[in-house]
Amino acid sequence: MPKPHVSSAVMTHPVRLAQAQDLADRLRLDGLALDPDPQGPPSALRTALVAWSAVRPGAGHHLVVQDDVDAPAELLEIVGRSAVRFPDEALVFYTNWHARNGAAARLAALAGASWVRAVPDEFTPSLALCLPVASAAAFRAYARDSAERHDDELLSAFFRGRGRMSLLAVPNIVEHIGTTSINDHAAQGIRLAVCPTSAADAAPLLDRGRVLEEPGWIPYMRYGEGFVRLVGQENGADGGRGHHPWRDALPATGLTEEAVRAARLPRHLAAEVARTFGDAFAEELWIHCLLLGHQAARAARSLGPLPDGVPPDALDRLRHSAVATAGPAGLPPERRPEAGPDEARAMTALAWAAVRAGGTLGQAFPTGRATVSMDAESSPDGSRPRGSS
């Protein structure tokens, strides 16, 4: 497979200069893009414009990462191979675990997909983003005179205007580190990757795995409550930014509350979650993952057979990674630090039980040529999700 020339830059601010330089050195990135007005009001876009201007001569694609991430040494190689596979796409290699796009990635993982199309009514995750150089130049021209300070919001507006949102890598090899924010996002608390995945697993999945272009309606959690992102809601008067509680959204999903309630809540698993986070959160997590399992089963049927060269065990580990982050991500930000090892295991057990029960509301998950484990009591390695404490 030919490798494109991918140039790269790390967005940073002088207060994180040493951290950014260490990141660039470890990952063999081309250099740093410093905030041109570090004493000015917070603006990620101001620095992003510098970063997207740092394209090296001869490059076909340009990768921009932010300074508060970690990634494996294989990052550039994996990005390069993905750019060969999708030469005209905007490729996202980190997605927040608590966002609508994170929910789309979690759903895609359960369905057996390795890439999913981003939703048009939310910011574009920009912690690790690769663009064709022509798209990078077009974005710079589009954004140069904007009063918007959030690059992720403006990227989504740019992609919406072109009629094609980014592709999200479902296995995340890039992880967010820390909870501070130069751009005033600290109130969001612990915010991590939705499907943290090893480079060894991610490489074949991203090289040959399936693409979920339209996941349909998407269940997600926000501040401890369950919501549904409806198909086409971006066309609403508010641009789709409103939140639809799951009860209100059910008529548009083809399900009824009676059908949802018919799936019996496992009281012993719910009690373990409720011990720390309360009965209301345990019930919302159960219903959220019940809807997630139902919709993932539906999405799986649209994907077709598993391609050659995609390891079923890697897909299985990806599913477990996705489910393990559902509970901690669904908590209110101020309560996420309470999700220690025991709490994380309890939430994962309840989430898996709900995902499996949700699958039976439609059809069982197709497993391709291998049996996929849906063990609700454990993860493949017994580990907790990264950053859940």
Side-chain angles (χ1 to χ4, degrees):
M1 180 182 291
K3 294 183 179 180
H5 180 188
V6 179
S7 62
S8 54
V10 181
M11 287 175 53
T12 192
H13 186 280
V15 299
R16 290 181 179 165
L17 190 60
Q19 177 176 310
Q21 189 62 61
D22 177 68
L23 180 67
D25 292 345
R26 285 190 293 108
L27 300 182
R28 305 182 307 280
L29 304 179
D30 289 334
L32 307 183
L34 274 78
D35 186 339
D37 183 16
Q39 303 305 316
S43 172
L45 179 63
R46 188 171 61 226
T47 309
L49 288 173
V50 176
W52 290 114
S53 299
V55 177
R56 291 292 181 95
H61 292 75
H62 190 58
L63 170 69
V64 170
V65 301
Q66 296 186 15
D67 56 15
D68 54 347
V69 304
D70 193 15
E74 299 91 339
L75 176 66
L76 277 178
E77 178 182 356
I78 290 174
V79 170
R81 292 174 69 91
S82 298
V84 167
R85 182 179 179 188
F86 302 108
D88 301 320
E89 297 280 7
L91 302 176
V92 171
F93 292 91
Y94 166 89
T95 304
N96 289 310
W97 65 357
H98 63 291
R100 295 183 205 185
N101 277 317
R106 186 177 287 115
L107 190 158
L110 284 169
S114 299
W115 295 89
V116 64
R117 186 69 62 184
V119 302
D121 43 271
E122 189 179 68
F123 64 91
T124 295
S126 58
L127 268 67
L129 174 64
C130 181
L131 294 180
V133 293
S135 296
F139 175 68
R140 292 198 311 271
Y142 176 84
R144 187 171 292 120
D145 298 322
S146 174
E148 173 64 67
R149 66 187 182 94
H150 298 290
D151 64 324
D152 50 9
E153 294 285 1
L154 206 58
L155 281 162
S156 281
F158 173 68
F159 296 141
R160 283 195 300 271
R162 304 183 110 194
R164 193 169 186 82
M165 302 307 293
S166 60
L167 272 183
L168 310 176
V170 177
N172 290 168
I173 56 171
V174 174
E175 182 60 282
H176 182 251
I177 58 174
T179 56
T180 61
S181 175
I182 293 172
N183 210 37
D184 297 336
H185 293 317
Q188 296 180 18
I190 297 170
R191 46 201 189 278
L192 297 173
V194 63
C195 301
T197 307
S198 71
D201 277 352
L205 294 176
L206 296 178
D207 280 354
R208 297 179 287 276
R210 293 171 291 191
V211 178
L212 182 59
E213 284 285 354
E214 177 48 70
W217 54 268
I218 302 170
Y220 65 99
M221 287 195 76
R222 184 174 185 269
Y223 298 100
E225 298 182 41
F227 297 87
V228 172
R229 190 261 167 194
L230 297 173
V231 175
Q233 77 171 55
E234 69 275 13
N235 298 319
D238 63 352
R241 302 310 286 263
H243 302 282
H244 303 284
W246 65 266
R247 290 178 182 84
D248 298 342
L250 278 182
T253 71
L255 294 171
T256 64
E257 187 165 353
E258 180 182 15
V260 171
R261 298 293 186 188
R264 187 169 299 174
L265 174 68
R267 294 295 176 186
H268 64 295
L269 296 180
E272 287 296 313
V273 174
R275 182 173 291 113
T276 302
F277 301 112
D279 291 332
F281 175 78
E283 182 176 3
E284 287 291 291
L285 179 62
W286 163 257
I287 291 174
H288 164 66
C289 290
L290 190 71
L291 297 175
L292 177 65
H294 173 75
Q295 188 66 342
R298 293 183 60 192
R301 295 194 291 272
S302 71
L303 288 175
L306 194 65
D308 291 338
V310 176
D313 57 341
L315 268 180
D316 193 24
R317 286 188 289 271
L318 180 65
R319 290 183 175 104
H320 279 277
S321 178
V323 174
T325 65
L331 288 166
E334 68 275 11
R335 303 212 62 184
R336 289 178 198 150
E338 300 174 49
D342 292 340
E343 291 80 10
R345 280 192 291 268
M347 288 188 287
T348 299
L350 180 61
W352 262 123
V355 165
R356 296 179 70 179
T360 66
L361 295 179
Q363 296 181 9
F365 287 95
T367 59
R369 296 166 298 172
T371 300
V372 176
S373 170
M374 286 292 173
D375 183 0
E377 301 297 331
S378 64
S379 64
D381 58 4
S383 64
R384 60 189 291 204
R386 285 186 286 170
S388 58
S389 67

